[in-house]
Amino acid sequence: MSDLVKIPAELRSDFGKGAARQARRDHKIPAVVYGHGAEPIHVLLPSQQTTLAVRHSNALLVLDVEGEEHMALVKDIQRHALKQTVDHLDLLTVRKGEKVTVDVSVHVEGEVAPGAVLDLEQFTVSVEAEATHLPESVTLNVEGREAGDNILASELALPQGTSLLIDADTVIATVYVPAAADLGDEGEAGSAEAPAASAASAE
């Protein structure tokens, strides 16, 4: 479930690419807080503390903006293409008890039948849950499932208070038996060489 992480924030007054680059040089991350019909709030967050806080998906932050606290859910993270450092955050204001929609990962448990292979088609699914009790994942138990099985969204194990927002008959994973390797021309070449070798021995 979501852990509240408190982070100090300062209001951002300078905008544009140059100002954003300077902020990052000062070890700060530009962010915008929006939601509930209020005007967006542009802030700067401490880089190291914030980067640690958003390592997990759907991180929930409590921002201290000049003494006023804002609880916000991380909705989008922009990262540097090469360094993969956090360049910018979009944060959605939420309230305790409020239901929000998030995407969570599918966690697979168990082993399929011997000789069969699992193909996970949906790595994440959309769910609705209370803002301060967001699940990190939903569980898909595949123990003993056999080739030809389609495992549906209705079979996902959801934490209490969490609702699935995709059709129950959505295929989450399939189970199949891998096709045998095709030797192709190599096998044919090997067969052709055998008679030639036999003919040479006869001479």
Side-chain angles (χ1 to χ4, degrees):
M1 300 297 176
S2 302
D3 293 322
L4 290 174
V5 179
K6 291 189 177 183
I7 294 181
E10 60 183 87
L11 290 173
R12 181 183 176 196
S13 56
D14 295 330
F15 301 93
K17 292 183 178 179
R21 284 194 294 267
Q22 182 58 52
R24 295 181 194 111
R25 284 194 291 268
D26 293 338
H27 306 292
K28 298 175 183 178
I29 298 174
V32 59
V33 187
Y34 62 92
H36 294 153
E39 287 293 322
I41 304 173
H42 298 270
V43 295
L44 294 173
L45 307 177
S47 180
Q48 184 176 8
Q49 186 178 355
T50 304
T51 299
L52 289 173
V54 302
R55 286 179 301 173
H56 304 291
S57 60
N58 304 318
L60 194 60
L61 311 178
V62 176
L63 306 181
D64 183 352
V65 185
E66 297 184 345
E68 183 177 344
E69 290 191 345
H70 299 263
M71 186 163 63
L73 178 68
V74 177
K75 294 298 290 183
D76 185 63
I77 302 176
Q78 297 177 22
R79 297 184 184 274
H80 189 281
L82 298 178
K83 300 177 182 178
Q84 286 300 299
T85 51
V86 178
D87 279 354
H88 188 275
L89 292 174
D90 285 352
L91 305 169
L92 176 65
T93 301
V94 295
R95 300 187 181 102
K96 187 175 182 180
E98 179 181 6
K99 294 277 190 176
V100 296
T101 298
V102 293
D103 290 336
V104 297
S105 60
V106 175
H107 172 67
V108 176
E109 287 186 352
E111 298 288 341
V112 295
V117 173
L118 180 75
D119 181 18
L120 187 62
E121 298 189 8
Q122 304 288 338
F123 292 92
T124 62
V125 294
S126 295
V127 300
E128 183 182 67
E130 199 270 315
T132 58
H133 291 81
L134 297 177
E136 292 185 4
S137 64
V138 293
T139 301
L140 184 68
N141 191 321
V142 301
E143 185 65 35
R145 300 302 291 260
E146 298 181 349
D149 284 353
N150 289 331
I151 308 176
L152 307 180
S154 58
E155 300 178 62
L156 289 167
L158 304 176
Q160 185 176 0
T162 300
S163 303
L164 195 63
L165 296 182
I166 62 174
D167 291 338
D169 59 357
T170 300
V171 175
I172 302 298
T174 58
V175 184
Y176 68 96
V177 174
D182 185 5
L183 296 179
D185 294 339
E186 183 179 346
E188 295 176 5
S191 299
E193 290 172 2
S198 300
S201 298
E203 292 177 357

